[in-house]
Amino acid sequence: MAKLTLTTFVSLDGVMQAPGGPEEDTTGGFEYGGWLVPFADEGMGNFMDEVFDRSGAFLLGRRTYDIFSAYWPQVTDPQDPIASRLNTLPKHVVSTTLTDPVWENTTVVAGDVPAEVAGLKERTAEGELQIHGSGTLAQSLMAHDLIDEVNLLVYPVYLGSGRRLFPDGGQPTAFELTGARTTGSGIAIHTYRPAGRARFGTFDPEV
């Protein structure tokens, strides 16, 4: 069974919306798209190459799929460590409206998404089943305890608004830190595994 991993870029205040460009996602009047670009560096690139090198298949939300499918098929260098995998490995997009995807090796996931994703984990024989971005999908699958590992790339910028990865009202969850590094531009890269429900205590010696 494949490990389901999530890799996403977040600001210091947890915003994950439109990291790569001003027109990527303006939902809700978001005006700060492209906030990671000034910090992109070799360390970030090396980490992302490592992530994609472990991929066996991809699971994407519809918005992320549309962004990826508009860009990556145009990158035809077979030596590109990201494009070569995105363009050839199986891609599963969660959507209730997409019926005829044109990006090669794409299938649509609809219906009971948690059950379908659990089945995909069982059927992915080699490598990781990877989610990239796809915030709404990630939140849904975290609520069902289906994500096995989270790679957070935290950028040294505060935005003050935008869609966040961890929403208010989510299930309190503890995580185990399994990897950490920083890059030259100040990106903090943390890898976590869910470790059950969050526990609570007190420093009060009288309690």
Side-chain angles (χ1 to χ4, degrees):
M1 182 172 72
K3 177 167 62 176
L4 178 59
T5 66
L6 167 66
T7 300
T8 194
F9 311 125
V10 297
S11 67
L12 287 176
D13 51 333
V15 174
M16 64 177 298
Q17 186 171 355
E23 303 303 321
E24 194 172 71
D25 180 5
T26 59
T27 302
F30 187 65
E31 299 177 345
Y32 308 126
W35 47 266
L36 78 68
V37 177
F39 304 100
D41 63 4
E42 183 178 6
M44 167 189 155
N46 290 340
F47 180 79
M48 293 306 297
D49 288 350
E50 293 170 19
V51 169
F52 277 91
D53 192 49
R54 299 192 296 268
S55 60
F58 300 99
L59 175 65
L60 303 171
R62 176 64 187 275
R63 186 183 300 276
T64 300
Y65 177 83
D66 286 346
I67 293 169
F68 279 18
S69 64
Y71 177 78
W72 287 108
Q74 315 306 316
V75 183
T76 58
D77 180 2
Q79 302 305 313
D80 187 291
I82 296 178
S84 61
R85 289 166 174 81
L86 280 172
N87 289 328
T88 59
L89 290 175
K91 293 166 286 292
H92 309 280
V93 55
V94 175
S95 176
T96 58
T97 57
L98 183 64
T99 58
D100 189 23
V102 297
W103 198 6
E104 185 180 8
N105 292 331
T106 295
T107 58
V108 176
V109 177
D112 186 343
V113 173
E116 292 286 343
V117 171
L120 285 176
K121 291 174 67 173
E122 292 283 353
R123 295 193 297 273
T124 301
E126 296 183 4
E128 297 175 355
L129 177 60
Q130 295 186 348
I131 304 170
H132 292 269
S134 307
T136 301
L137 173 63
Q139 291 169 0
S140 172
L141 297 181
M142 283 190 287
H144 287 86
D145 298 320
L146 284 167
I147 294 180
D148 302 301
E149 188 171 270
V150 179
N151 297 308
L152 289 184
L153 289 83
V154 184
Y155 290 74
V157 59
Y158 166 80
L159 297 174
S161 67
R163 183 180 296 113
R164 288 168 170 78
L165 175 61
F166 298 106
D168 291 342
Q171 182 72 252
T173 304
F175 287 83
E176 174 191 2
L177 181 68
T178 61
R181 68 177 80 170
T182 56
T183 75
S185 68
I187 305 167
I189 303 174
H190 298 151
T191 299
Y192 296 99
R193 288 182 190 149
R197 296 294 169 239
R199 297 181 295 170
F200 307 93
T202 178
F203 289 112
D204 186 344
E206 302 301 319
V207 177

